[in-house]
Amino acid sequence: MTATETERSGARPSAGAEPTQRADGGGSRAKLVVVGNGMSGARALEEILARGGGELFEITVFGDEPYGNYNRILLSEVLAQAAGEVVDDADDDLFLNPVDWYAENGITLHAGVRIVRIDRHAKVVLGDDGSVTGYDTLVLATGSRSFFPPMDGMWASRTELTSGVFGFRSLDDAHGMLAHIREHRTAVVIGGGLLGLEAAAGLQAHGVTVHVVHPTEVLMNQQLEAEASTVLRSKLEDLGMHLHLGVRTNEILVSDGAVAGVRFTDGSDLPCDMVVVTAGIRPNIGLAMVSGLETQRAIVVDDRMRSVDDDSIFVVGECAQHRGEVYGVVGPLWEQAEVLADVVTGANPDAEYHGSRLATKLKVAGVDVAQMGVKGPERATDEFVRFSETGRGVHQTVIIRDGTLIGATLVGDVSKVAALTQAFDSRSALPEERVKLLFDLGSADDAASAADLPDETQICHCNGVSKGDLVACVADGAGSVSACMGATRAGKGCGSCKGLVTEVVEAALGGAGAVDPADSYYVPAIPLDKPTLMAEIRSRGLTSVSAVFEALAPDGRDHVGSKMGLTALLRMMWPDEFVDERDGRFINDRVHANIQRDGTFSVVPRMSGGVTTPDQLRRIADVAEKHDIPMVKLTGGQRIDLLGVPKEKLQEVWADLDMPSGWAYGKSFRTVKTCVGTDFCRFGLGDSTRLGIDLEERYKGIEGPAKMKLAVSGCPRNCAESMVKDVGIVAVEGGRWQIYVGGAAGATIRQGDVLATVDSHEEAVRITGRFLQYYREQANWLERTYDFVPRMGLDHLIAVVVDDVEGIATDLDARMQEAVDAYVDPWAADQQEATPGQFHDALPMVPLPQVPVRS
């Protein structure tokens, strides 16, 4: 807006500041009407309800379609399902808010009713069913429609398309195409954008021959530049899709009232019996135009999402034009909905929307594509990093201006999209070697393959294993990567070299190594993978390590190296019935402290969320002085570590501290690091300290396959380093929390993946617990989340943990609750020795007589 417009905007009374006051002075609840029941309208409605809108407003919703609110993004999946199978309103995957949801929230839904006019003076909306509905606040979310370019043969009448011609915008469109392809086998898709390629892939899944016609040489030209499009084209053609680029269609050929083909501008014809038009979309602004609202490309709004003509009318989604921009992807629409809800409900009457930076990650006909910012360099000073591997279908570019990432495009390989998106959104500092934005560069010669490395190259620094050692191991008969790792201990330290170890061994074997069945065993002594092992344990009721060995190990033999893994597994499976055999624990777990290199131990009391009190600090100081603790150190997890405690003094130290265990020693839930959040920070968006404390108090000491470190940050500045934790939670705008999983900041560096964005503190706690329980049940022994998450796949984890596609969420929550209920503080439980000598050395530590030395 211009300065004049800004001043006028700021002078206007804020709509929504008094949401309970009726415009006509009557009633206790104002009338809120939402026109449009698509994704934007429903999202705005959800945001309004989340801010108490159900108590503030009498809400009425009008939608053109006779359904509840569904996810249009999934229409391509609907199209790819069994031909003719119709999705109904009970489909939980497709429908975000089924019809019943509206009644449950006290909302009146008029499904299948179109609003044809707004009487702004009388403050009523008029429906095509003859209804007249009053409003105090009106939300327009009319979305957009398929654009049908002028073309002979397109229309059978003024309102009906020729038989066999379809748009691809609604559920009815998808159902119509599914019914049509039962007897028709050749389709032309006009438009090679995202929607067109998704429609083509959906039709191709039914064996339909698909031709995609696009007027430019660049597929998805809104998102991709020419070289990226070329790579995508190659991938799609490999999948059997016929692409006609740089070609325009000017006529649909009709025979006996139905599609018979298409004719191009060069006069050539392409026979077909079905045409899908995906030539773009147009905002639905007809209602606004006939009602006297300002429209250009869409309905013009100010920074508070209000029509510039009427303070009582708000606009959201694809029908809104803000500062000249009209957005067609969900991210900006969600941001608009939050601002609208803040203003309408009075939760934040001064909330403003300032536009969005676009970053999208898509799967186009099975090909991964991500794009953010500009598509290519625009200035002579822009840095441009490009990698293209057409044969593998990979194309990656990044554009940097003044040290800031301003654009990136990834096709085929989007493994770096999370880190790039973070850099793009936060404008954070970038590595000096720009290529590191796209690739992980190893410490060995980055340009060389594993086969080219000299034999003296150190592969595993932890255990001093060279390439020559691994090659020699293969020459001695080792036939798999795991066999070489077992023989040389390469990769058995920090684990960061495992990828390079695999490359070296496979190169030495002349290709992929033989699969070692033992690779899938949960522990070496039991020849079963984890799911099978757990099933056997449950079916046989095995509650002790010795019972597992007796029943499942070959010849019933014990195996020292398997005891710790089995102990952790059984304690997870049987929180109450587990029979504790102390010889199955590592020394740290036997004495509940972390052994140090000199044989002493470190004691770390719990300080949930890094918060302590003067009394606790005095106690720690007194204990350190009383027991001559040689070092008192602050940890990276915001706690205090007492280092150098002799084994025999552990019980005394615990008793004098009178604080709970911080579990700094086990394969367990460790700590939750926090920033100060909203209490003191000027930038805080969420109470990270409270959330961190609640997480740590609930899940304290929960055991797992490996240690679990967490953090909560009160804003995307991420002072608690949440994005590089096993689970990290970051507060974002609108009172929401983003949950990251699988991060690491040790020997392995990995930014976590976004598992979910939730709307409440309680939901963050619940989803975190559910993920941790799934990790506990599915991860391999000693497998950290930064390996577990990529192995399982982020999409799978979201489907199971967040979307509950397997129907096990309730069971996961219940099993986690059992573990929480069974928690016992080990420092309190072991004030008396559980086994003889538990807190004493095997040898008497007394001075021995000195033997005289002969001269």
Side-chain angles (χ1 to χ4, degrees), residues 425-605:
D425 287 340
S426 64
R427 297 177 171 87
S428 56
L430 305 177
E432 290 296 325
E433 296 178 72
R434 306 306 198 196
V435 71
K436 288 183 177 180
L437 289 165
L438 298 176
F439 303 103
D440 294 319
L441 303 181
S443 57
D445 183 2
D446 296 320
S449 70
D452 295 332
L453 296 173
D455 283 348
E456 61 270 19
T457 302
Q458 195 90 328
I459 301 299
C460 177
H461 292 273
C462 294
N463 292 303
V465 182
S466 69
K467 178 195 171 184
D469 295 329
L470 292 169
V471 172
C473 188
V474 171
D476 289 341
S480 68
V481 174
S482 59
C484 288
M485 291 175 66
T488 64
R489 297 197 57 76
K492 299 288 188 179
C494 68
S496 61
C497 65
K498 286 182 179 179
L500 193 53
V501 170
T502 300
E503 289 183 38
V504 169
V505 173
E506 290 185 348
L509 288 167
V515 176
D516 187 343
D519 288 349
S520 64
Y521 298 168
Y522 179 68
V523 291
I526 312 293
L528 299 172
D529 61 21
K530 186 174 184 180
T532 307
L533 175 60
M534 291 176 64
E536 288 291 330
I537 289 171
R538 289 196 187 280
S539 67
R540 297 171 185 247
L542 306 175
T543 58
S544 69
V545 172
S546 59
V548 172
F549 282 134
E550 183 177 354
L552 302 176
D555 301 325
R557 293 192 305 269
D558 283 9
H559 182 259
V560 173
S562 299
K563 286 186 175 182
M564 289 180 290
L566 287 175
T567 297
L569 181 66
L570 291 173
R571 281 201 289 216
M572 184 269 290
M573 294 178 64
W574 308 104
D576 297 315
E577 297 88 352
F578 170 64
V579 178
D580 192 3
E581 297 170 331
R582 292 297 176 111
D583 67 344
R585 299 189 187 190
F586 181 61
I587 178 61
N588 286 4
D589 293 300
R590 291 203 295 272
V591 300
H592 317 302
N594 197 15
I595 193 167
Q596 305 300 303
R597 62 181 299 174
D598 63 356
T600 63
F601 292 82
S602 74
V603 169
V604 183

Side-chain angles (χ1 to χ4, degrees), residues 93-148:
D93 293 331
L94 177 65
F95 280 87
L96 304 173
N97 298 314
V99 171
D100 291 346
W101 177 85
Y102 297 85
E104 291 167 2
N105 286 278
I107 299 167
T108 301
L109 172 64
H110 297 282
V113 176
R114 178 189 295 268
I115 296 300
V116 295
R117 191 166 67 86
I118 306 165
D119 187 331
R120 292 165 50 201
H121 299 287
K123 300 190 95 171
V124 296
V125 294
L126 290 78
D128 61 1
D129 62 345
S131 62
V132 178
T133 305
Y135 67 85
D136 296 290
T137 299
L138 177 63
V139 176
L140 298 182
T142 50
S144 58
R145 66 188 186 281
S146 294
F147 170 62
F148 295 95

Side-chain angles (χ1 to χ4, degrees), residues 627-642:
H627 296 284
D628 296 320
I629 304 294
M631 180 179 283
V632 180
K633 188 179 187 306
L634 296 178
T635 73
Q638 299 178 325
R639 297 179 296 188
I640 296 178
D641 193 353
L642 304 175

Side-chain angles (χ1 to χ4, degrees), residues 722-743:
S722 300
M723 293 177 186
V724 288
K725 298 295 185 184
D726 294 289
V727 179
I729 304 178
V730 179
V732 293
E733 291 287 349
R736 298 177 299 160
W737 298 94
Q738 232 169 19
I739 302 175
Y740 291 78
V741 295

Side-chain angles (χ1 to χ4, degrees), residues 689-742:
T689 304
R690 181 72 263 165
L691 180 54
I693 291 172
D694 288 352
L695 284 166
E696 190 160 348
E697 287 297 321
R698 176 165 176 77
Y699 301 121
K700 54 184 180 285
I702 295 296
E703 294 185 64
K707 58 189 175 185
M708 296 166 273
K709 296 181 179 180
L710 286 78
V712 183
S713 297
C715 78
R717 288 169 177 259
N718 197 26
C719 294
E721 301 161 350
S722 300
M723 293 177 186
V724 288
K725 298 295 185 184
D726 294 289
V727 179
I729 304 178
V730 179
V732 293
E733 291 287 349
R736 298 177 299 160
W737 298 94
Q738 232 169 19
I739 302 175
Y740 291 78
V741 295

Side-chain angles (χ1 to χ4, degrees), residues 313-485:
I313 299 178
F314 292 75
V315 190
V316 66
E318 293 172 326
C319 62
Q321 179 178 319
H322 173 265
R323 298 191 182 186
E325 293 290 336
V326 179
Y327 298 96
V329 292
V330 295
L333 312 188
W334 285 186
E335 294 169 11
Q336 293 176 2
E338 292 173 8
V339 171
L340 182 151
D342 276 340
V343 177
V344 165
T345 62
N348 180 7
D350 298 322
E352 292 184 346
Y353 174 68
H354 295 146
S356 299
R357 288 164 62 83
L358 298 182
T360 57
K361 181 175 181 292
L362 316 162
K363 187 175 284 289
V364 183
V367 181
D368 287 314
V369 176
Q371 201 280 325
M372 61 199 74
V374 300
K375 294 184 287 185
E378 298 173 336
R379 302 178 185 174
T381 55
D382 287 347
E383 298 177 59
F384 187 40
V385 181
R386 176 173 55 199
F387 172 79
S388 188
E389 191 175 354
T390 308
R392 198 163 62 91
V394 174
H395 181 84
Q396 301 172 312
T397 64
V398 293
I399 302 96
I400 300 160
R401 180 178 299 161
D402 299 329
T404 299
L405 182 69
I406 63 168
T409 301
L410 307 173
V411 176
D413 179 1
V414 296
S415 58
K416 287 295 183 181
V417 67
L420 288 171
T421 302
Q422 172 63 18
F424 177 72
D425 287 340
S426 64
R427 297 177 171 87
S428 56
L430 305 177
E432 290 296 325
E433 296 178 72
R434 306 306 198 196
V435 71
K436 288 183 177 180
L437 289 165
L438 298 176
F439 303 103
D440 294 319
L441 303 181
S443 57
D445 183 2
D446 296 320
S449 70
D452 295 332
L453 296 173
D455 283 348
E456 61 270 19
T457 302
Q458 195 90 328
I459 301 299
C460 177
H461 292 273
C462 294
N463 292 303
V465 182
S466 69
K467 178 195 171 184
D469 295 329
L470 292 169
V471 172
C473 188
V474 171
D476 289 341
S480 68
V481 174
S482 59
C484 288
M485 291 175 66

Side-chain angles (χ1 to χ4, degrees), residues 156-168:
S157 68
R158 293 186 61 185
T159 57
E160 292 185 3
L161 292 165
T162 296
S163 177
V165 177
F166 300 90
F168 188 39

